[in-house]
């Protein structure tokens, strides 16, 4: 595993063979949490069997400028804001099968389009604005 200067916050044993190592990296507007799963019976090329990522956007969502951008996007498009997602990125190194926590950032906002589809806008963290264009899912 290669870190992006994240900090080990806790080690949690959830049964006799499995332990979670919880790492966090904070940004001005979000926090990314990496949960790395160690299994004592796992004997592959990696130390951790698997990992998961979650992001907390509480700080971003409390910023008035970002709230204004959400409101402006809702008025302009007629879509309804649902949630933010994303943060610090990660990937699996194909050569060594290491988990890499990177400094790359991708944050986006999801809006309900009202027709069963979701519009996804990129978040500009420097200006606390949503992109004008979006992808549909």
């Amino acid at each position: 595993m290669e870190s992006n200067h994240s900090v080990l916050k806790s080690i949690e044993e959830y049964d006799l063979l499995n332990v979670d190592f919880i790492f966090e990296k904070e940004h001005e507007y979000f926090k990314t949490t990496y949960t790395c799963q160690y299994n004592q019976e796992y004997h592959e090329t990696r130390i951790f069997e698997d990992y998961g990522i979650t992001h907390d956007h509480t700080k971003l969502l409390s910023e008035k400028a970002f709230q204004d951008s959400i409101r402006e996007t809702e008025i302009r498009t007629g879509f309804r804001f649902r949630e933010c997602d994303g943060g610090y990125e990660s990937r699996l190194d194909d050569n060594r099968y290491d988990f890499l926590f990177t400094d790359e950032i991708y944050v986006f906002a999801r809006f309900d389009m009202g027709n069963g589809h979701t519009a996804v806008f990129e978040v500009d963290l420097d200006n606390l604005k949503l992109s004008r264009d979006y992808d549909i899912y």
Side-chain angles (χ1 to χ4, degrees), residues 1-135:
M1 184 188 89
E2 188 172 315
S3 171
N4 60 352
H5 305 289
S6 53
V7 175
L8 178 63
K9 295 304 257 186
S10 66
I11 300 172
E12 301 172 7
E13 183 177 351
Y14 58 92
D15 63 29
L16 294 174
L17 296 174
N18 296 290
V19 178
D20 282 346
F21 289 76
I22 312 297
F23 297 88
E24 290 181 353
K25 182 163 183 179
E26 294 221 27
H27 182 274
E28 181 180 2
Y29 297 116
F30 64 87
K31 176 173 57 176
T32 297
T33 302
Y34 306 96
T35 302
C36 299
Q37 300 167 352
Y38 174 76
N39 180 312
Q40 294 182 49
E41 292 184 329
Y42 182 73
H43 300 290
E44 294 296 324
T45 57
R46 300 186 302 262
I47 293 172
F48 295 115
E49 179 180 10
D50 201 1
Y51 75 102
I53 301 174
T54 58
H55 308 282
D56 181 331
H57 301 93
T58 304
K59 293 177 188 175
L60 176 63
L61 293 168
S62 69
E63 289 290 327
K64 182 175 179 346
F66 188 64
Q67 293 170 4
D68 291 346
S69 183
I70 289 171
R71 199 167 15 265
E72 184 274 323
T73 300
E74 287 179 325
I75 292 167
R76 180 174 52 82
T77 63
F79 305 160
R80 187 174 44 86
F81 175 73
R82 284 196 351 216
E83 64 188 350
C84 285
D85 201 357
Y88 286 108
E89 296 283 298
S90 67
R91 67 184 185 326
L92 181 63
D93 178 352
D94 293 329
N95 296 325
R96 295 186 40 201
Y97 298 105
D98 287 336
F99 301 122
L100 303 174
F101 302 158
T102 72
D103 286 325
E104 297 166 26
I105 295 173
Y106 179 61
V107 177
F108 53 94
R110 290 187 184 99
F111 286 73
D112 183 349
M113 296 177 71
N115 60 3
H117 290 92
T118 300
V120 177
F121 295 79
E122 288 188 33
V123 175
D124 174 352
L125 293 173
D126 293 328
N127 298 302
L128 297 179
K129 300 262 185 210
L130 296 169
S131 60
R132 297 229 14 114
D133 58 331
Y134 55 89
D135 293 319

